[in-house]
Amino acid sequence: LLFLNVLFFFIEEHAALEHTFIANLSALQFIQVFSATTDTVSWFLLLLLFEIETSLLDSRNQNRRIKPSILLFRGLCYGAICYAFLGYYYELLTIYDTALVSRIDICPLTSDWSLLVDIDEYISLEPENCKLLPSVLFQISSFKIIAPMDTLVSVQYLTLVDLINAGAWILVVVVLELELHLLQKEDSSKIVMDSVFLLKIILYLVLFLAAIYWGFEGDFLDFWDASLWLFAFIFIELNIFQKREPKELFQ
């Protein structure tokens, strides 16, 4: 299901490309357009690596054999995830860079203009749908894309939540790395481990709230994807919890 989401995000973002950057994408433009696809691919691979490492945590000989490969591959995934985070950031800057325009001025130019209807979703602007729009509209950055205020505000919030969600997941993986490191030490402090656990709970709460927001805002793909990822990481947490239990950290 997570792999299918990669395809869904690619289809959605490739369709949006027709209305934004048309050709000759730069590296920065590419990640701005395909941030969700890149992010999801990287996380999918990283999830597999975490499942391998947490399930083999006690097999030290196996760990020594596979650890160099895991570290290298994981480093590449982290780089891609941070690259995708940069894409979310520039997408947020783009959607907040707007200018007021008049419907009277835009409607005669509908042949190469687009209308924003949802995050990463556009339709061609036609005389029929243009005349139904409010008299005052917003043009997004330097693109030939317009949006009414209510749609623009909704997409701005959704884009902001995308950025927050991506940042929270990066912090989750940092905390997981720290926790895996502490679990391999024999003298791990109970206070430190409990603090790490509490921080992780807060981050998961942020991710859960983001999923709820997407659900209420009607962005089903983002809601579905966020729900799947939270469910997937339950298995990682179960692996880690089984390693924590013998240390009697919570007793």
Side-chain angles (χ1 to χ4, degrees):
L1 291 174
L2 288 171
F3 180 74
L4 285 176
N5 278 8
V6 174
L7 302 179
F8 293 148
F9 276 121
F10 176 77
I11 291 169
E12 181 180 81
E13 292 180 326
H14 187 269
L17 182 61
E18 180 184 347
H19 302 271
T20 52
F21 305 102
I22 304 302
N24 300 321
L25 287 176
S26 68
L28 186 58
Q29 291 169 340
F30 176 86
I31 195 57
Q32 186 173 338
V33 174
F34 293 105
S35 53
T37 304
T38 305
D39 200 32
T40 309
V41 169
S42 304
W43 275 106
F44 178 75
L45 296 175
L46 199 59
L47 178 70
L48 296 180
L49 293 177
F50 269 121
E51 175 62 25
I52 291 171
E53 189 165 15
T54 56
S55 63
L56 298 177
L57 198 59
D58 284 339
S59 305
R60 295 183 180 178
N61 291 331
Q62 277 185 302
N63 249 1
R64 272 195 291 269
R65 289 200 301 270
I66 67 174
K67 192 170 183 179
S69 300
I70 287 180
L71 288 177
L72 176 61
F73 203 59
R74 198 163 58 193
L76 294 175
C77 290
Y78 288 155
I81 288 168
C82 292
Y83 186 43
F85 180 80
L86 187 65
Y88 287 121
Y89 173 70
Y90 278 102
E91 189 173 357
L92 183 69
L93 293 183
T94 298
I95 202 67
Y96 273 91
D97 182 12
T98 60
L100 283 172
V101 294
S102 170
R103 182 189 64 189
I104 298 174
D105 297 330
I106 296 298
C107 282
L109 309 172
T110 55
S111 59
D112 55 350
W113 283 69
S114 302
L115 177 66
L116 178 67
V117 294
D118 202 347
I119 185 168
D120 291 329
E121 292 184 23
Y122 309 86
I123 60 173
S124 297
L125 193 62
E126 306 290 348
E128 294 75 16
N129 56 27
C130 188
K131 66 183 180 181
L132 300 176
L133 297 173
S135 57
V136 177
L137 300 165
F138 291 86
Q139 180 182 358
I140 299 172
S141 298
S142 57
F143 298 110
K144 292 183 177 180
I145 299 172
I146 59 171
M149 179 180 286
D150 55 346
T151 302
L152 179 65
V153 171
S154 174
V155 172
Q156 285 175 338
Y157 282 135
L158 286 168
T159 308
L160 178 60
V161 172
D162 272 347
L163 183 68
I164 293 172
N165 180 76
W169 273 116
I170 290 174
L171 292 176
V172 163
V173 85
V174 170
V175 173
L176 279 173
E177 289 284 2
L178 176 60
E179 193 168 25
L180 287 172
H181 174 72
L182 292 173
L183 283 171
Q184 292 177 1
K185 296 177 62 178
E186 297 296 331
D187 57 346
S188 299
S189 166
K190 179 179 183 302
I191 295 176
V192 171
M193 291 296 293
D194 287 350
S195 298
V196 169
F197 179 78
L198 178 61
L199 177 58
K200 196 165 53 174
I201 292 298
I202 293 172
L203 291 171
Y204 279 132
L205 179 60
V206 171
L207 296 169
F208 179 71
L209 291 175
I212 291 177
Y213 181 80
W214 282 320
F216 278 106
E217 278 296 305
D219 197 273
F220 178 75
L221 181 56
D222 281 332
F223 168 73
W224 169 249
D225 184 67
S227 301
L228 278 181
W229 278 109
L230 287 170
F231 182 72
F233 265 75
I234 288 176
F235 292 96
I236 303 299
E237 293 300 333
L238 287 174
N239 288 343
I240 293 176
F241 184 77
Q242 289 172 1
K243 310 304 176 185
R244 288 173 59 111
E245 208 171 22
K247 293 176 177 287
E248 300 179 346
L249 293 172
F250 296 106
Q251 294 180 7

